[in-house]
Amino acid sequence: NSLSNINSSVLVFSSANENDAPLASAEFINREVKDSVLKIIPKAGHYSFLKKPKLFNNALLEFVEN
């Protein structure tokens, strides 16, 4: 699995009501990438950065600052 070879920090976004990239896919990525963080943005769908920009931006800033 090539995901386990990633040596960078990865922030994975998902939403519980995501249809295009299901939550299970994000959870899989989070399990496989050693240094990953999964952020679930509720009721945001595939475009969480548009539908919930404050939650998205706060999570992104927190990730980058750490």
Side-chain angles (χ1 to χ4, degrees), residues 10-32:
V10 174
L11 176 58
V12 182
F13 281 101
S14 189
S15 178
N17 62 331
E18 170 67 70
N19 293 324
D20 295 315
L23 178 57
S25 297
E27 291 170 331
F28 174 78
I29 293 168
N30 187 54
R31 279 192 311 273
E32 296 296 314

Side-chain angles (χ1 to χ4, degrees), residues 7-65:
N7 293 317
S8 299
S9 297
V10 174
L11 176 58
V12 182
F13 281 101
S14 189
S15 178
N17 62 331
E18 170 67 70
N19 293 324
D20 295 315
L23 178 57
S25 297
E27 291 170 331
F28 174 78
I29 293 168
N30 187 54
R31 279 192 311 273
E32 296 296 314
V33 177
K34 296 174 198 123
D35 187 18
S36 66
V37 174
L38 174 60
K39 182 64 180 175
I40 300 170
I41 299 181
K43 300 179 183 177
H46 191 69
Y47 298 102
S48 58
F49 60 96
L50 293 175
K51 293 187 178 184
K52 303 281 183 159
K54 287 184 181 181
L55 289 175
F56 181 91
N57 289 335
N58 287 340
L60 182 58
L61 286 172
E62 181 182 335
F63 178 78
V64 170
E65 290 172 352

